[in-house]
């Protein structure tokens, strides 16, 4: 198994992405530590993993924006498990979509940037303090192609993902000499994270009524070379590979899971 005897911390472990990554890590033999703000949903994921994969899973309430909570949790995991081998940040950022920048309050634009940067810094630093001492480790997160492709009416989302990637490169530069790798997954839209009902912004398509879920997925698919979007299973599978020793030469880089996404047309 790719991650046998590895200890992996997943922040945002009860979210859709966190669940997918936790499932893949557990399947590949990792001992998984799920962190998030709601214990009931974390325990639900832990029960699923224990039942399906017989995985060793622990849960803890941790606000990734709380410096003390993040540091204390990382210290506790390292003490109980002996080391932290993988840290994956999958928390949401509170993005606001649907308004042109000309109409958007600065607070709505800046919220995801501030949230992401604080959470990424705190969780990365907490893990890195243990990984540098042991001389190995992998720090991971997830972004999207909006870090490179400008899309109308997504507020600060693109800037947020661009900032996350820039931060990862900086951490990789400083941690590489200690044997610690920093990598990220870059995805398209993830259809499984979209609610079955509701209306989404027009995203510059000119539709006054916005888009349905099906229309949004179709619009996103048309921008990819494979004419489809990324699945959560693919996210989990590639995350497990990146966290493993098979990817030992990879750092300061993304695994591109965009299905060949190209500029909007």
């Amino acid at each position: 198994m790719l991650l046998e005897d590895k200890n992996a911390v997943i922040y945002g472990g009860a979210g859709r992405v966190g669940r997918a990554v936790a499932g893949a890590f557990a399947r590949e033999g990792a001992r998984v530590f799920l962190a998030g703000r709601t214990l009931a949903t974390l325990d639900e994921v832990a029960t699923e993993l224990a039942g399906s994969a017989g995985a060793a899973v622990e849960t803890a309430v941790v606000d990734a924006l709380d410096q003390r909570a993040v540091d204390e949790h990382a210290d506790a995991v390292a003490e109980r498990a002996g080391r932290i081998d993988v840290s994956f940040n999958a928390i949401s950022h509170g993005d606001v979509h649907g308004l042109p920048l000309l109409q958007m309050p600065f607070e709505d634009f800046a919220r995801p940037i501030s949230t992401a940067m604080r959470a990424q810094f705190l969780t990365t630093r907490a893990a890195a303090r243990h990984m540098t001492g042991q001389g190995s480790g992998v720090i991971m997160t997830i972004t999207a192609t909006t870090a490179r492709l400008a899309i109308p009416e997504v507020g600060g989302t693109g800037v947020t993902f661009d900032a996350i990637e820039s931060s990862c490169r900086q951490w990789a530069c400083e941690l590489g000499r200690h044997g610690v790798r920093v990598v990220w997954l870059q995805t398209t839209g993830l259809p499984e994270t979209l609610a079955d009902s509701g209306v989404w912004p027009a995203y510059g398509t000119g539709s006054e009524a916005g888009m349905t879920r099906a229309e949004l997925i179709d619009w996103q698919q048309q921008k990819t070379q494979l004419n489809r979007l990324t699945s959560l299973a693919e996210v989990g599978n590639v995350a497990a590979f990146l966290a493993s020793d098979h990817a030992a030469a990879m750092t300061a880089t993304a695994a591109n899971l965009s299905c060949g996404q190209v500029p909007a047309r």
Side-chain angles (χ1 to χ4, degrees), residues 11-246:
Y11 299 95
R16 296 290 184 90
V17 171
R19 285 177 184 237
V21 172
F25 283 4
R27 185 188 68 240
E28 295 296 340
R31 181 179 179 184
V32 178
F33 295 84
L34 299 175
R37 292 186 293 183
T38 307
L39 185 60
T41 52
L42 291 168
D43 286 344
E44 179 184 311
V45 178
T47 300
E48 290 176 2
L49 295 181
S52 62
V57 185
E58 295 186 29
T59 61
V61 175
V62 181
D63 183 349
L65 302 177
D66 184 329
Q67 176 175 294
R68 182 174 178 178
V70 170
D71 287 342
E72 289 181 349
H73 176 256
D75 291 345
V77 169
E79 182 177 357
R80 287 200 304 277
R83 55 191 292 124
I84 298 175
D85 298 295
V86 184
S87 176
F88 192 102
N89 188 314
I91 74 161
S92 60
H93 310 134
D95 307 64
V96 178
H97 289 191
L99 283 176
L101 293 179
L102 284 172
Q103 301 173 19
M104 179 169 284
F106 175 75
E107 291 73 18
D108 288 349
F109 173 81
R111 184 183 303 116
I113 305 169
S114 176
T115 299
M117 284 297 91
R118 182 174 180 84
Q120 291 292 331
F121 180 85
L122 294 180
T123 58
T124 299
R125 188 182 63 181
R129 284 173 170 171
H130 293 280
M131 292 176 177
T132 53
Q134 67 199 30
S136 65
V138 184
I139 294 170
M140 305 173 63
T141 190
I142 185 167
T143 68
T145 50
T146 43
R148 292 290 175 267
L149 305 176
I151 297 175
E153 300 176 13
V154 297
T157 300
V159 177
T160 298
F161 286 138
D162 204 8
I164 291 173
E165 294 185 4
S166 179
S167 173
C168 286
R169 285 188 288 269
Q170 182 66 31
W171 276 108
C173 172
E174 298 193 13
L175 297 178
R177 65 181 180 272
H178 300 287
V180 179
R181 299 190 292 114
V182 185
V183 290
W184 61 98
L185 305 169
Q186 191 179 78
T187 70
T188 58
L190 300 169
E192 294 150 288
T193 66
L194 300 176
D196 291 334
S197 60
V199 177
W200 275 262
Y203 294 120
T205 62
S207 171
E208 295 183 2
M211 289 190 280
T212 65
R213 180 181 186 276
E215 289 170 340
L216 175 60
I217 292 173
D218 181 66
W219 176 74
Q220 291 179 321
Q221 287 179 160
Q222 289 180 29
K223 295 187 293 177
T224 71
Q225 294 178 13
L226 296 180
N227 197 37
R228 69 175 184 87
L229 301 180
T230 315
S231 72
L232 286 175
E234 290 169 327
V235 170
N237 291 339
V238 176
F241 168 75
L242 283 181
S244 77
D245 293 340
H246 287 296

